[in-house]
Amino acid sequence: MAMEAAAAGAGGLEVVVFPWLAFGHMIPFLELSKRLAARGHTVSFVSTPRNLARPPVRPPASGSTSDLSPDKVGLLKKAMDGLAGPLAAFLAAAQGGIRHVPDFPASQAALSVFLGPRWANAAHPRMEPEHFAETPRWIPFPSTTFFLRHEAQWVTDAFRTNASGVSDMDRWWQVLERSRLTIHRSFFLERIIHRSCEELEPRMFGLLSDLFRKPAVPAGILLPGAPGDLEEDHRQSSSGSIVRPQVLRWLDDQLPNSVIFVALGSEAPLTPENAHELALGLELAGVHFLWALRKPAGTSNDDELLLPAGFEERTRHRGVVCTGWVPQVEALAHCATGTFLTHCGWGSTIESLSSGIPLVMLPFVVDQPLIARAMVERGIGVEVARDENDGSFDRDGVAVAVRRVMVEEHGKVLATNAKKLQGVLVDQGRQEHYIDEVEA
């Protein structure tokens, strides 16, 4: 385990941040840490050496979920449990005592509400997929917070013991329940902090506070840097000047709002069949596209190709497939990008909404279907049609959804709604107010 501390002036808070070992968690945790440190607080960011290394190192061990196939993540949880002793020693040795150890889920607040506290699940037991295909009884208002039958298996599995020896739900409940205790009389958990805001999830924070019987506080969207401020992530030439990534230079040559940016995150369970149907759907839609394609973790180099034969040649005049790094925030904010085809991870959704572009949505697991359903309800995006039984999709469904957002009249309504929400989310005063509430 490695620690980094951002020390600041005397009299501030002393905060320890220990995120789950997934980049979708570590990045917003780091952003929260930076915001608090900038306000004069001392923040210790705790993770593994591999995750803290800049530039990243490549030891034989795995340091995050992006290094593993989904079936191995339970083992990573078991390994993370092994950090309990070193973390406790670090907290005990911290000078002055750590007064705040916030619980900071990087997911939307609606997921925590849907999962619910232990007492609510005891009162309303849910064990089978069909139990999760309806809004929980403890949500007292109309809500899209439910899973379709084909989406519900992952949450059913969360209630079952995994390779770590503990179920994900019991792990989550223990974090919340044990946080009620004061440890060594020096630190305690006061609140649940979510990377979200009232504008994105109205009514959820009051309900979350009631359910878990402790304050639920929105921290704002915590967007990592504004476009134009991310040059430190670009490679430098031998002369020391910044080299603009090739994908952004390709976007520079496209017409405004003419490109759909396609990115399904670093851990989407994308099969070769999925990738083929997605590719052929983009081809059928006839639109310009930039596709950030990442090969699934745990696959070998001789696996079946993820793209159909001849696809890149047939679409080279209007599309680019990039298997390397793509600066997503900047790609989304580029004037040529008019739509985002996304898996609806919470971080990617926030980045897209902050750029004011509508969504074509292809959710897979965890909170992604809940986020997609909420964006449809707000009139910001369209989901790709899926088979009700197994969740599969085909090229025709992809093409229909893409054209509905990018070509048909309905897309203009979606774009207008996305721009309206953008105006609220990028209001710096509002976002700073949320950090004020976290400090309080």
Side-chain angles (χ1 to χ4, degrees):
M1 182 175 70
M3 283 80 70
E4 286 185 347
L13 302 174
E14 296 175 34
V15 182
V16 170
V17 177
F18 185 26
W20 165 233
L21 303 177
F23 286 107
H25 292 245
M26 288 184 282
I27 291 172
F29 270 73
L30 181 60
E31 286 304 314
L32 178 61
S33 301
K34 288 160 60 178
R35 306 290 171 94
L36 292 173
R39 287 169 172 243
H41 306 301
T42 299
V43 184
S44 298
F45 189 95
V46 181
S47 192
T48 65
R50 179 178 173 89
N51 293 325
L52 293 177
R54 291 181 67 92
V57 295
R58 297 291 180 186
S62 295
S64 72
T65 53
S66 66
D67 301 322
L68 301 169
S69 56
D71 62 308
K72 298 292 193 299
V73 172
L75 297 175
L76 185 63
K77 293 171 184 174
K78 186 174 183 179
M80 189 174 181
D81 290 342
L83 298 177
L87 178 63
F90 168 70
L91 294 173
Q95 292 188 5
I98 305 298
R99 301 202 298 274
H100 285 63
V101 185
D103 177 31
F104 178 51
S107 60
Q108 58 167 184
L111 178 63
S112 294
V113 168
F114 179 86
L115 295 175
R118 195 189 297 270
W119 67 264
N121 281 272
H124 307 288
R126 302 177 295 175
M127 298 300 295
E128 301 300 328
E130 58 265 25
H131 298 156
F132 302 99
E134 58 185 27
T135 301
R137 296 185 184 183
W138 49 82
I139 298 182
F141 45 78
S143 174
T144 58
T145 309
F146 61 88
F147 290 90
L148 301 180
R149 180 65 182 269
H150 70 79
E151 301 165 340
Q153 188 59 52
W154 85 267
V155 70
T156 307
D157 292 342
F159 283 78
R160 298 170 179 160
T161 301
N162 56 46
S164 70
V166 182
S167 74
D168 288 343
M169 283 307 304
D170 193 56
R171 184 183 296 275
W172 170 233
W173 287 331
Q174 285 187 53
V175 167
L176 294 170
E177 293 160 0
R178 293 181 179 183
S179 68
R180 295 179 180 277
L181 302 175
T182 300
I183 304 175
H184 301 309
R185 300 182 181 180
S186 61
F187 68 95
F188 54 91
L189 177 65
E190 294 180 319
R191 61 192 70 187
I192 306 170
I193 302 170
H194 270 273
R195 183 195 188 185
S196 187
C197 58
E198 294 285 356
E199 293 83 1
L200 274 179
E201 301 189 85
R203 298 191 288 184
M204 282 298 177
F205 285 94
L207 178 57
L208 195 60
S209 297
D210 292 341
L211 284 172
F212 289 94
R213 296 166 181 167
K214 63 178 62 183
V217 180
I221 62 173
L222 300 173
L223 191 66
D229 295 335
L230 303 176
E231 292 186 344
E232 64 183 41
D233 291 329
H234 295 171
R235 291 178 297 176
Q236 291 190 339
S237 68
S238 58
S239 65
S241 60
I242 298 298
V243 178
R244 186 168 172 79
Q246 184 176 354
V247 292
L248 297 182
R249 286 183 273 137
W250 181 84
L251 284 172
D252 293 340
D253 294 332
Q254 310 306 310
L255 295 174
N257 299 315
S258 66
V259 175
I260 183 168
F261 177 53
V262 183
L264 300 178
S266 60
E267 299 170 35
L270 191 69
T271 66
E273 181 183 4
N274 292 155
H276 282 203
E277 293 302 315
L278 179 53
L280 295 172
L282 291 171
E283 186 175 355
L284 282 174
V287 299
H288 287 234
F289 64 88
L290 169 60
W291 186 356
L293 176 60
R294 181 185 175 102
K295 198 170 187 179
T299 58
S300 59
N301 292 330
D302 59 355
D303 280 338
E304 181 181 357
L305 293 176
L306 289 181
L307 294 175
F311 169 75
E312 290 184 273
E313 177 62 25
R314 294 193 304 271
T315 60
R316 61 185 175 83
H317 63 288
R318 59 181 172 85
V320 171
V321 178
C322 181
T323 56
W325 174 75
V326 174
Q328 179 165 295
V329 173
E330 292 184 271
L332 288 170
H334 197 286
C335 64
T337 303
T339 303
F340 185 25
L341 197 161
T342 174
H343 65 309
C344 280
W346 191 229
S348 290
T349 302
I350 286 174
E351 290 169 5
S352 179
L353 296 177
S354 299
S355 294
I357 59 177
L359 306 171
V360 174
M361 298 175 289
L362 193 59
F364 287 92
V365 294
V366 196
D367 57 347
Q368 297 163 15
L370 300 184
I371 295 168
R373 208 146 292 130
M375 294 301 105
V376 169
E377 184 182 43
R378 296 191 73 137
I380 291 172
V382 170
E383 272 198 75
V384 173
R386 309 287 274 266
D387 183 276
E388 293 183 3
N389 296 315
D390 62 12
S392 61
F393 62 92
D394 61 27
R395 65 200 71 177
D396 294 322
V398 172
V400 166
V402 169
R403 290 184 63 82
R404 191 175 182 204
V405 178
M406 293 199 72
V407 179
E408 297 175 8
E409 195 68 22
H410 182 63
K412 296 180 181 179
V413 177
L414 300 176
T416 297
N417 293 340
K419 285 294 183 185
K420 288 180 180 177
L421 185 55
Q422 177 196 24
V424 173
L425 295 182
V426 300
D427 183 323
Q428 193 60 32
R430 290 176 188 251
Q431 295 303 316
E432 288 299 316
H433 174 72
Y434 285 119
I435 301 298
D436 291 341
E437 293 298 311
V438 171
E439 282 186 300

